[in-house]
Amino acid sequence: MSDTAYPDAPRIDAHDKVRGALRYAADEARPGMSHAALATATVARGTVLRIDLAAARAVPGVRLVLTHEELAGLKQPGFLMGGGYGFQSIQPVTSSRIAYRGQPIALVAADSPEAAAEGARLVRAEYASEPHQVTLDAPEVDIVAQADSPLPKPMFADVTAGEADTAYAAAAIRITAEFRHPPQHQNPIEMLSTVAEWRDGHLTVHEGTQNAEAIRHGLARQLGIEPARITVRSPSAGGGFGQKNSLQAHTVLAAEAARRLERPVKLVVSRAQIFHDSSFRPASRHRIRLGADAAGRMQALIHETDSQTSRHDFFPTQYTELSARLYGIASFRGRERLVRTDVQTPGYMRAPYEHPAAFAVECCVDELAYRLGQDPVALRLANDTTTDPITGQPYSSRHLAECLRRGAARFGWDRRSMEPGSMRAGDGSLIGWGVAIGAYKAATAAAIAKLRLSADGAVTFSVGGHEMGQGIRTAISAVLVRRLGVEPGRITLEIGSTGTTPQHLTAGSWGTATTIPAAEEACDTLLRALEALPSRPSPAERLRAAGRPHLEVEVSRCAPGQPDAVMGRLTSGLPAAIGPAYPGYVSFSHVAHFVEVRVEPATRRIRVPRVVSVADCGRVISPRTAASQLRGGVVWGIGAALREVSEVDPRYGGFLNADLAEYVLPVHADIGTIDVEFVDEPDPQLNGAGVKGLGEVAMVGVAPAIANAVHHATGRRLRELPIRVENLL
């Protein structure tokens, strides 16, 4: 275990990032490359009767047009959460069926991106439309209890403990509320893009991804070839946030076009099409019943959810995994239902369940504090626990109380008056101070790592991990520098691309907790091997003294409690992660957010001038990138609370605001001071490095802290996101 804190070292890719030197998939320019664009369906559900391609084929430079008539032989990828590799089970442009508005119906390849886009625009289709449903207000026949669905149990079973309904009925104080969360889209800066090239029967795919092996094995399934004939390169994903966690719908289309044209093909999915042809955070509805005694001890919590899924897949939900564990509530009942809608399959978006769940629960906890006349921080501290209420097992570590205490002191919480509307700024703006907590599972995955030390002092390290901008390269480098005494500039990291070690999905905030223990174990194995060589001041000098040009070691490690058979999933491109429940303990990361809002008295415009956030994520390996992750999560939480919503029109389906002009995100003027701190206490039970995840817990709790601050400023309880000006007028 790392006994001392890591230094605040710069990102190892910082200069390349600011100079534009990092390479992304869309940067690839191969000799003789063609460009591709997608034509998409204009109905929400139905069947393609006829497609007119004459105008598209007549565009100068168009070389190929593919529809379902040419691609019917492509196999389906299978849904990632159903034993497959794709973000959804169906593959567009292989059938005349239309499952959702915006579904691709044709690919056009041309000599230039402009010609391809023009050709795609000129594709004309005639449809037989069918009735569709795109909101949560579906008939009962379209609502399925998740516990009764084919999803695997017990992973997606309802969470229960004690007798929640009985305890709630007997509680002295009862809170009942319903919360609504809209659909949202990730919008990474680097859009979904693929460059596909065949050479001597081997396919090379350049694509920004969180899951290179899913692309490799999924394409092999779809194309009917061996995975060994496919290489996937993704040195930098360019942002993912869950959207790039699996095989995309466009990838096989680019690969097939390249095979038919016998030249490389680049396909960059437009921003508007990303809203319709990749995963998104589903709309959800949350009914909370919270019961407590007269002293404020929470006795019962009931959390019932309805969440949007597609008609062709069951996208599983785990909202109650978080709500059951925020506090030490002995009696809990969760019930999760899936609402079938005519959309592409929803998916994972930063803190996919935890962000909406925390919004619902933490707003109710704040309401409980006001009903009791208790300070919201004191109430949370009084309901803290060291034991998981669902399994009865201890937490591997839980420093949530420390997060609250440090955050309160740093924020100046003791200067807060309790009465809503009692604090005002010099310009007359209403001041509100709010607090909320968050948690996120401390998951870990299996890993294989290779470490090579050369006699010239160079180090090469390969492990399954993807650089999405979160700084995983910097964290791995920090461990190698500390353990081997090597300079950062002498380190080569091979991650994100197939052909070295299996590239496990990087998601669920398990990237660091998976790669760092593997790196430490590889370093220890290498140093033990060096002990047999002549004693010298440095590892490289030992190699030279022994006349060895290099020394290479390989280690394989399962996460705690995983059987060795999980390595079969790792090597075949399937998820191989575990957590939060481990043999003998449960593990979560935690955070506390303190937020100040200013509400302009006439227009009711909301500003967030300052936030204080304190996180417990185990040992912090890279303080620089960790602070960036925490601040970034806060920014995203501000956007989720006050700006972001993917608007739908029930009459036509699809998403209306499918661009960055109308999908409103926070800008610099919206963000004030974000002060962050870490407990930085290692979690020795979870792994030797003591690390837990950070990227997603950073966002959990920001939205309810803002909503609670708005209530403190205005006296209004708002239960739907985003919070709009009209909600306060």
Side-chain angles (χ1 to χ4, degrees), residues 205-513:
V205 172
H206 301 267
E207 181 170 323
T209 182
Q210 299 171 236
N211 197 348
E213 293 293 351
I215 295 177
R216 184 166 77 101
H217 287 269
L219 283 177
R221 172 187 288 188
Q222 291 193 276
L223 297 169
I225 63 177
E226 290 297 316
R229 292 176 54 192
I230 301 175
T231 299
V232 179
R233 302 195 185 283
S234 182
S236 296
F241 316 113
Q243 189 177 73
K244 297 177 181 176
N245 74 352
S246 45
L247 177 61
Q248 304 294 325
H250 73 278
T251 308
V252 73
L253 305 179
E256 186 62 22
R259 179 156 67 175
R260 292 176 183 240
L261 284 172
E262 297 183 342
R263 61 169 62 188
V265 169
K266 177 188 289 188
L267 173 53
V268 179
V269 181
S270 72
R271 181 70 64 182
Q273 289 172 351
I274 287 176
F275 273 75
H276 298 95
D277 297 316
S278 60
S279 64
F280 64 99
R281 192 196 305 277
S284 60
R285 181 168 49 213
H286 305 257
R287 186 170 185 239
I288 300 291
R289 280 171 281 176
L290 175 63
D293 64 20
R297 185 67 191 175
M298 298 183 211
Q299 298 173 318
L301 177 60
I302 300 167
H303 185 183
E304 297 175 322
T305 74
D306 290 335
S307 190
Q308 178 181 31
T309 190
S310 69
R311 201 170 293 279
H312 45 276
D313 293 314
F314 287 113
F315 174 65
T317 63
Q318 291 179 295
Y319 299 105
T320 59
E321 180 182 76
L322 180 279
S323 54
R325 266 81 176 229
L326 279 175
Y327 297 99
I329 304 176
S331 294
F332 179 89
R333 180 173 64 79
R335 187 219 62 192
E336 306 197 54
R337 302 194 304 176
L338 302 173
V339 182
R340 288 188 173 113
T341 58
D342 297 295
V343 296
Q344 73 270 30
T345 301
Y348 298 95
M349 179 172 169
R350 194 176 196 173
Y353 318 114
E354 295 77 10
H355 154 65
F359 170 62
V361 174
E362 282 296 271
C363 286
C364 286
V365 171
D366 197 70
E367 186 171 346
L368 176 63
Y370 273 85
R371 288 273 291 273
L372 293 164
Q374 291 189 18
D375 176 76
V377 172
L379 177 66
R380 287 171 169 84
L381 288 170
N383 283 277
D384 194 22
T385 180
T386 58
T387 302
D388 174 43
I390 301 303
T391 65
Q393 296 186 142
Y395 286 110
S396 59
S397 64
R398 181 178 167 106
H399 302 292
L400 178 57
E402 183 67 9
C403 293
L404 281 165
R405 292 188 185 100
R406 289 195 196 185
R410 203 168 180 125
F411 190 80
W413 187 259
D414 59 351
R415 301 195 305 274
R416 176 185 186 270
S417 59
M418 189 78 171
E419 185 67 24
S422 60
M423 298 174 66
R424 287 186 177 262
D427 63 357
S429 293
L430 298 166
I431 297 176
W433 286 6
V435 62
I437 63 171
Y440 191 90
K441 62 182 179 183
T444 313
I448 296 174
K450 293 180 181 178
L451 178 61
R452 179 188 179 102
L453 172 66
S454 298
D456 63 359
V459 169
T460 302
F461 182 69
S462 304
V463 71
H466 299 74
E467 179 60 79
M468 302 176 289
Q470 81 278 37
I472 195 170
R473 291 180 179 274
T474 303
I476 295 171
S477 177
V479 170
L480 299 178
V481 168
R482 172 171 286 194
R483 290 300 186 97
L484 301 179
V486 63
E487 292 296 321
R490 302 288 286 156
I491 297 172
T492 300
L493 297 178
E494 297 175 338
I495 62 172
S497 300
T498 62
T500 53
T501 54
Q503 295 299 300
H504 187 267
L505 163 65
T506 303
S509 289
W510 60 60
T512 301

Side-chain angles (χ1 to χ4, degrees), residues 30 33 77 142 150 429 458 543 616 680 695:
R30 317 301 294 171
M33 185 170 69
D142 285 332
S429 293
L543 281 181
D616 159 34
D680 200 16

Side-chain angles (χ1 to χ4, degrees), residues 180-182 184 355 359 640-642 644-645 703 707 719-723:
R180 286 179 173 259
H181 195 286
Q184 296 174 325
H355 154 65
F359 170 62
L642 302 177
E644 292 185 60
V645 54
R719 294 174 174 146
E720 184 171 355
L721 295 181
I723 297 170

